Amino acid sequence: MAPFSVLTKSTTFIKTLNPNSFRTISTFKYLCQEPQIAEPLVPSSSSSPTPLPPNPSSGSPLYQQDNWRTANSKPNPGLFGPSLPALGTLQGGPSAKLQAYSQTLDDTQLLNVFAEWITSHRWDDLIQLFEFWVQCLDSDGKFNKPDVNLYNHYLRANLMANASPGDLLDLVAKMDDYKVLPNTASFNFVLKAMHEAREAKAAEKLLQRMLQTGKESMPDDETYKLVTEMLFLVNQTDDALKYIDITLSSGNMVSPKVFTECVKSCVRLGRLDTLASIIERCKKMDQNKALCPQWNMCNLIVDAALQEDNSKLAFYGLEFLARWITRGEAARPPVYLSVDEGLVMPALGTASRTFDKTLIDASWAVLRRSLRNNRAPSAESYLGKISAYSSLGNLQRAFATLHEFESVYGGDSNTEAAENLFSPFTSLSPLVMACSKGGFETLDSVYFQLENLSRAERPYKSVAALNCVILGCANIWDLDRAYQTFESISGSFGLTPDIHSYNALMCAFGKLKKTPEASSVFEHLTGLGMKPNATSYTMLVNAHLINRDPKAAVSVVDEMVNAGHVPSKQLLKDIRRRCVREFDNESNDQVEAFARKFGIRMGPESRQNMLFNLSYSSMKGQTEVLARPS
């Protein structure tokens, strides 16, 4: 112990000499350490024995460098597993914590970690952890091999880390190193990157590859959505419509965004028949029948369809509008949407021209739903419906609409405007044409039905309907039926003939050159105190023109002007034509005076005059000269 005490005492002296060059090892006193016998280790029954190293012949990478069978072989560059392309995750040096953490995880635990990190958007950490994990060994001493679900998480992380489509394609190609087949989700991640980069051509090629690969990577709804959206964005409408057709043929669902873009493109390019076909196919599929464009887009569809008289597309557009109205009424609080009546009236006109009964019913149902019994439809809407049913030849529905029209607007018939609403010469002309189209057979059928309705429990008697029959008889030059129908107004039906009844009877007399009888009818109605309207004078003028009496026609026009009516341009042109043919220059001058007085531009009749002034004798002589042989 003496030497130790000497060193202890000398410590203070050495410090005083050079305090910066000396540092003590410990300030504690020396402890006596004597060897002790170690206790024998008792193996615990709960802990498992340490496993043996792997068999060298199993192919473990631990023996690939110094195996006696390959003593002269070079080190295998794939010792640390299949290499992954560095996407910027390993350039700053490996993360020791993630590398150590990766060695403690199996595939199930790694999947749980990925699920947690995806929720917190730790994309860079997920990429690094996956790359470290595939370089670690499993319990068998082999490199970890991910399945397709784990690899898809890795692809998702790279996508969210703004990897390029080319990098993602390289990663998908690396799946072969792990003997993993890419599925539909794997390719969808690549398509999303292509969608962001607007690489439409590459996306089409990838989609074709998916169609040719097999069942595991067959395109799904998301695949077609990404490709079709991309094609619409780059204005490749034809290709987009082709893939929409493939989507519907394969039974997949069309996304609402793709459907809206399809509607916009087809309307903009005028592909209305194609749009109608797509909508029809969607309505037949359970997964696509709920597709519906926005409210403004529905109005755009109807407007475009009506301009081109596309009744099918107009019907689908009105159906979409009705669906929106129903949704608004069912909402809480309710939202009351209404269709403009100005949109329904052209729809009725289109239905009339295209003979589409379903469009008539749809238009009227949407109009009624929009008005919500707050007011009745306008008179123009009723007349459009009557015209539509008349063009279809459905006279029963046409007269039923006329009955409803009279119940709403027939109460005040004293004004001139209300009087013209029920004129068979103007507003009800389509119904008159429909009645006379089939000849006397159709006219008799209509008359007998009206007669039966007048005797029903709730009788329906209409002067306007009988006036249509009278004028229909006049159109087929059947004076007897016209006169009998006129007499039945006051006889069988117990009604009073109105001014339109007398005008229709005058028309029937005038067409058969019975001008005195037409004049008698005119004098009779004036004698009853009824005021003739412009149509009354027009029928009397036409009767004189058919009888080749332009002077009498001009005198009637003079009375018409004195009564406060304005002659129409067509009436003056008819009188002028008759004056020219009858060589009545005086009456022609009066017609020109009427035209100047009311500011009516008559216009030339060069073509009519050319035919009228042909000299047939001179033409015959010229023909003989030309035919004479030289």
Side-chain angles (χ1 to χ4, degrees):
M1 297 297 292
F4 292 101
S5 62
V6 172
L7 291 175
T8 305
K9 293 178 180 180
S10 63
T11 304
T12 307
F13 176 74
I14 295 173
K15 287 182 178 181
T16 57
L17 293 178
N18 191 3
N20 295 328
S21 62
F22 181 80
R23 181 176 298 176
T24 59
I25 298 174
S26 176
T27 58
F28 295 98
K29 293 182 179 182
Y30 172 75
L31 298 178
C32 181
Q33 297 180 356
E34 296 182 359
Q36 295 180 0
I37 302 174
E39 297 180 359
L41 296 176
V42 179
S44 176
S45 60
S46 60
S47 63
S48 59
T50 303
L52 292 173
N55 189 350
S57 62
S58 62
S60 175
L62 293 176
Y63 303 99
Q64 290 183 6
Q65 285 185 334
D66 54 355
N67 196 337
W68 62 273
R69 291 189 178 92
T70 59
N72 298 325
S73 62
K74 296 181 180 180
N76 189 358
L79 173 62
F80 299 102
S83 60
L84 289 171
L87 298 178
T89 58
L90 300 178
Q91 293 178 359
S95 176
K97 292 183 179 180
L98 288 176
Q99 188 173 10
Y101 187 43
S102 64
Q103 297 174 1
T104 63
L105 301 174
D106 57 8
D107 53 354
T108 304
Q109 295 171 344
L110 183 64
L111 190 61
N112 295 331
V113 173
F114 281 177
E116 181 181 354
W117 287 5
I118 287 173
T119 306
S120 57
H121 296 177
R122 296 176 59 182
W123 307 116
D124 294 334
D125 293 341
L126 192 151
I127 294 172
Q128 293 186 43
L129 182 60
F130 180 84
E131 293 175 353
F132 287 138
W133 183 79
V134 296
Q135 297 176 8
C136 297
L137 303 177
D138 57 8
S139 59
D140 296 332
K142 298 181 180 180
F143 288 110
N144 290 322
K145 289 186 178 180
D147 59 2
V148 67
N149 293 328
L150 278 175
Y151 206 93
N152 284 342
H153 284 302
Y154 177 63
L155 291 175
R156 176 195 290 271
N158 281 276
L159 173 66
M160 300 306 295
N162 298 324
S164 65
D167 293 335
L168 287 177
L169 282 174
D170 293 338
L171 293 179
V172 171
K174 284 291 181 180
M175 296 177 73
D176 294 337
D177 297 343
Y178 302 101
K179 298 181 180 180
V180 177
L181 292 176
N183 58 8
T184 303
S186 307
F187 289 112
N188 285 346
F189 290 130
V190 182
L191 286 174
K192 288 180 181 179
M194 293 179 176
H195 184 278
E196 294 295 330
R198 301 291 189 269
E199 297 184 5
K201 292 297 183 182
E204 285 190 75
K205 293 180 180 179
L206 184 59
L207 178 56
Q208 294 297 329
R209 174 185 172 185
M210 294 175 66
L211 290 171
Q212 297 172 3
T213 301
K215 295 182 179 179
E216 294 296 330
S217 60
M218 287 297 293
D220 59 356
D221 300 339
E222 184 71 14
T223 307
Y224 288 113
K225 171 181 176 294
L226 292 170
V227 176
T228 310
E229 278 185 12
M230 199 184 320
L231 292 172
F232 277 125
L233 288 175
V234 297
N235 293 327
Q236 296 183 12
T237 306
D238 292 336
D239 294 334
L241 294 177
K242 179 184 70 173
Y243 284 109
I244 288 178
D245 180 71
I246 297 175
T247 303
L248 296 175
S249 300
S250 58
N252 292 99
M253 184 177 68
V254 179
S255 67
K257 186 175 181 180
V258 170
F259 185 72
T260 302
E261 291 296 330
C262 175
V263 171
K264 290 181 180 179
S265 300
C266 289
V267 171
R268 184 181 69 252
L269 299 176
R271 307 280 292 274
L272 302 184
D273 292 333
T274 303
L275 179 58
S277 176
I278 291 174
I279 296 175
E280 183 179 10
R281 294 177 64 184
C282 289
K283 287 169 58 66
K284 295 179 180 179
M285 302 175 65
D286 293 336
Q287 60 269 37
N288 292 318
K289 64 182 180 181
L291 289 173
C292 182
Q294 296 298 320
W295 174 263
N296 294 333
M297 187 57 62
C298 296
N299 285 276
L300 184 62
I301 292 174
V302 177
D303 188 33
L306 295 179
Q307 291 181 11
E308 299 296 330
D309 276 346
N310 193 321
S311 59
K312 180 183 290 187
L313 185 59
F315 172 77
Y316 291 146
L318 291 173
E319 191 176 21
F320 289 144
L321 292 173
R323 193 180 300 177
W324 275 108
I325 293 174
T326 305
R327 290 179 184 177
E329 292 176 351
R332 292 295 177 268
V335 179
Y336 297 107
L337 299 173
S338 299
V339 177
D340 189 3
E341 193 168 2
L343 189 66
V344 175
M345 292 169 57
L348 292 172
T350 298
S352 176
R353 290 186 293 271
T354 57
F355 311 103
D356 193 340
K357 180 180 178 299
T358 57
L359 183 57
I360 301 174
D361 298 336
S363 304
W364 199 253
V366 170
L367 178 59
R368 283 292 195 183
R369 194 70 177 269
S370 300
L371 296 176
R372 295 182 178 87
N373 297 326
N374 293 328
R375 67 175 182 86
S378 64
E380 291 77 9
S381 299
Y382 277 109
L383 293 176
K385 187 179 180 183
I386 293 173
S387 175
Y389 279 125
S390 299
S391 64
L392 289 174
N394 194 341
L395 296 178
Q396 185 175 0
R397 298 291 296 272
F399 278 102
T401 306
L402 176 61
H403 175 45
E404 184 180 355
F405 180 35
E406 287 182 301
S407 64
V408 176
Y409 292 96
D412 187 14
S413 59
N414 296 325
T415 62
E416 184 178 357
E419 200 175 81
N420 291 330
L421 288 178
F422 301 98
S423 172
F425 296 93
T426 55
S427 57
L428 299 181
S429 177
L431 185 57
V432 174
M433 297 300 295
C435 291
S436 58
K437 187 176 182 180
F440 66 89
E441 183 178 358
T442 305
L443 291 168
D444 290 344
S445 175
V446 171
Y447 176 80
F448 289 133
Q449 289 184 11
L450 292 175
E451 193 174 26
N452 293 332
L453 289 175
S454 65
R455 300 169 184 171
E457 184 177 357
R458 299 177 60 181
Y460 167 60
K461 299 179 181 181
S462 173
V463 178
L466 292 171
N467 291 339
C468 292
V469 177
I470 296 173
L471 188 57
C473 295
N475 288 339
I476 63 172
W477 292 274
D478 195 337
L479 180 60
D480 294 337
R481 280 186 169 82
Y483 200 88
Q484 291 176 8
T485 306
F486 177 82
E487 288 182 335
S488 65
I489 294 177
S490 58
S492 302
F493 292 89
L495 301 174
T496 303
D498 58 5
I499 187 63
H500 303 300
S501 307
Y502 289 101
N503 291 342
L505 186 60
M506 289 170 59
C507 179
F509 280 117
K511 285 191 173 185
L512 295 177
K513 295 185 179 182
K514 297 184 179 296
T515 307
E517 288 80 357
S519 301
S520 300
V521 174
F522 185 84
E523 295 173 358
H524 178 74
L525 69 93
T526 55
L528 293 176
M530 300 181 67
K531 183 179 179 181
N533 57 12
T535 306
S536 304
Y537 289 103
T538 301
M539 293 298 105
L540 188 57
V541 169
N542 290 336
H544 287 296
L545 292 179
I546 293 174
N547 203 27
R548 298 183 179 182
D549 191 355
K551 292 185 179 297
V554 171
S555 64
V556 173
V557 172
D558 193 19
E559 295 178 7
M560 179 181 182
V561 172
N562 294 332
H565 300 288
V566 179
S568 64
K569 178 180 179 179
Q570 185 62 41
L571 180 63
L572 294 180
K573 292 183 71 173
D574 292 341
I575 299 175
R576 185 179 68 175
R577 187 177 298 114
R578 178 54 62 187
C579 291
V580 171
R581 292 178 181 179
E582 300 297 331
F583 301 100
D584 193 345
N585 296 327
E586 182 181 356
S587 299
N588 192 11
D589 294 339
Q590 294 181 8
V591 172
E592 295 293 340
F594 286 131
R596 288 192 299 269
K597 179 179 180 180
F598 295 104
I600 299 174
R601 298 182 61 180
M602 300 290 288
E605 294 187 1
S606 56
R607 298 185 65 182
Q608 291 85 348
N609 294 335
M610 184 184 300
L611 295 175
F612 183 74
N613 295 327
L614 284 177
S615 179
Y616 295 98
S617 59
S618 61
M619 290 183 62
K620 182 178 179 182
Q622 293 177 4
T623 306
E624 292 177 354
V625 171
L626 292 175
R628 187 178 304 167
S630 57

